[in-house]
Amino acid sequence: DNLSGVTNTYYSIDGSDYLQGTSFIIQSEGVHKVSFYSVDAAGNVEVANTVDVKIDKTAPVTTSNAPANWSKDDVTINLTAADNLSGVANTYYSIDGSNYLQGTSFTIQSEGVHKVSFYSVDTAGNIEAVNSVYVKIDKTAPTIAMDLNNEYMLGSTLQLTYSASDNLSGIVDQKMLVFAPNDTTGKLVSNGSNIQLDKPGVYTVVVTVTDAAGLSTTIKKQFVVYIPASIDVTAKVIKGNNGVFTVRVSLPSGFNTQDLNLNTATLNGVNALTSNNGYYNQAKLGQFKFERSDFNWTSPEVTVEFRCYINGYLVIGQTTVKVQN
């Protein structure tokens, strides 16, 4: 006051009674209305002034939409920050320890487990403590390995074993279905189980493996179960390389040689003779003729394998013959 001078100054906080003083501290968060005026020695009273004092001591809170489970595709992360008082100024994020970048949305594309760190700052300068989440991406389906022979003997027991692996999310589900000949529904079989091959024909094994990201791999394997035959070659000793010799075939109980298909009969890959009806009649009796000159006998003792089909099912028989050149 340029004339009589100031005698007292008064203030009020948030509508409280006026107190005398020129200095005071406001501690609580929020927007506070401060009113004040002064009086001079002549009794002149100043018109009250009002200002807002805004205090924010609480840092923002930032959340993410990062999925907790494994993902099989690119993952877009959205960060949402909230601050109830001064408001959010900026949000920052870091991927796998990289320098922090400003932003609230970004996409992670590469496979693996990624550490995402983030925080926000409000307009009062409060800095949020760093939050971290893990983003797990697996774009690679599991692998399956299974070894099976092409052919197995009727009545034998077969152990079905496969190996499956997934290097990232891991395997969460696996199943194996076995389809016997003419079976359309399949039988669920656990890994390492034994199955009885009690029907001739084509068996199908289907293995499906799924990882935690939802990626699946399916393999299908097939093998033939053949009917074992006993065979006998006449003559016992094959001499020279001219003339015809006979292979006599005996089948297990339940199968009749009359159903053997001469046109499919081979011995070590050489076709049986089919040039006249007599050969067909003899085949019904389980007797098959072969021309010696069609074979190249190189050893004094040779293992021969007879193959033929009966009603569409494979028949296999083996024996050993002596050869005298």
Side-chain angles (χ1 to χ4, degrees):
D1 187 89
N2 293 329
L3 294 174
S4 61
V6 176
T7 57
N8 288 303
T9 298
Y10 301 91
Y11 66 89
S12 168
I13 302 172
D14 293 331
S16 68
D17 292 338
Y18 278 89
L19 299 175
Q20 183 182 339
T22 58
S23 180
F24 51 92
I25 295 174
I26 300 176
Q27 295 179 318
S28 61
E29 290 186 308
V31 179
H32 302 279
K33 182 179 180 180
V34 178
S35 301
F36 55 92
Y37 68 91
S38 294
V39 179
D40 64 17
N44 296 302
V45 179
E46 180 185 12
V47 176
N49 303 283
T50 300
V51 294
D52 289 329
V53 176
K54 297 176 283 186
I55 299 176
D56 181 0
K57 298 180 180 181
T58 303
V61 175
T62 309
T63 58
S64 81
N65 66 337
N69 298 324
W70 282 87
S71 301
K72 62 181 179 180
D73 302 306
D74 298 346
V75 175
T76 297
I77 302 297
N78 294 308
L79 302 176
T80 302
D83 188 273
N84 294 330
L85 292 172
S86 62
V88 177
N90 289 302
T91 298
Y92 303 90
Y93 68 89
S94 167
I95 302 173
D96 295 329
S98 67
N99 292 331
Y100 278 89
L101 299 174
Q102 181 181 335
T104 58
S105 182
F106 50 93
T107 299
I108 300 177
Q109 297 177 316
S110 61
E111 289 188 309
V113 179
H114 303 279
K115 183 179 181 180
V116 177
S117 301
F118 55 91
Y119 68 93
S120 295
V121 180
D122 63 20
T123 57
N126 295 302
I127 301 174
E128 180 184 13
V130 173
N131 305 284
S132 293
V133 294
Y134 290 91
V135 176
K136 300 174 288 186
I137 300 176
D138 183 358
K139 299 181 178 181
T140 304
T143 59
I144 309 172
M146 186 178 195
D147 292 327
L148 287 174
N149 295 332
N150 293 326
E151 297 167 345
Y152 293 93
M153 185 175 68
L154 178 66
S156 61
T157 299
L158 174 63
Q159 185 179 48
L160 292 175
T161 303
Y162 64 88
S163 60
S165 62
D166 188 273
N167 293 330
L168 287 173
S169 61
I171 294 169
V172 296
D173 185 64
Q174 50 189 311
K175 66 178 181 179
M176 176 166 53
L177 280 174
V178 178
F179 296 83
N182 302 317
D183 178 12
T184 58
T185 58
K187 179 181 179 182
L188 193 62
V189 175
S190 59
N191 193 11
S193 296
N194 292 326
I195 63 169
Q196 191 69 28
L197 304 179
D198 53 5
K199 294 181 180 179
V202 178
Y203 282 69
T204 302
V205 180
V206 179
V207 179
T208 300
V209 174
T210 304
D211 64 18
L215 296 166
S216 294
T217 299
T218 298
I219 63 168
K220 182 169 76 172
K221 297 280 188 175
Q222 290 187 317
F223 59 87
V224 173
V225 173
Y226 64 87
I227 301 167
S230 298
I231 66 171
D232 183 61
V233 177
T234 305
K236 298 294 185 183
V237 178
I238 297 179
K239 298 180 180 180
N241 207 29
N242 292 309
V244 174
F245 65 92
T246 302
V247 175
R248 289 180 171 82
V249 180
S250 298
L251 298 176
S253 176
F255 301 97
N256 196 321
T257 57
Q258 289 188 350
D259 297 320
L260 288 168
N261 185 348
L262 173 61
N263 294 323
T264 64
T266 62
L267 189 73
N268 284 10
V270 176
N271 294 326
L273 298 176
T274 60
S275 57
N276 59 60
N277 289 333
Y279 292 136
Y280 285 91
N281 292 332
Q282 289 179 322
K284 292 181 181 298
L285 301 175
Q287 299 179 20
F288 297 83
K289 304 296 184 178
F290 292 89
E291 176 60 54
R292 295 182 189 180
S293 60
D294 290 337
F295 295 84
N296 183 19
W297 309 110
T298 58
S299 302
E301 191 170 272
V302 177
T303 298
V304 291
E305 181 181 81
F306 174 83
R307 286 176 170 258
C308 188
Y309 281 86
I310 178 171
N311 297 324
Y313 299 122
L314 178 63
V315 175
I316 298 178
Q318 284 188 349
T319 191
T320 301
V321 299
K322 295 185 180 298
V323 178
Q324 184 176 345
N325 294 323

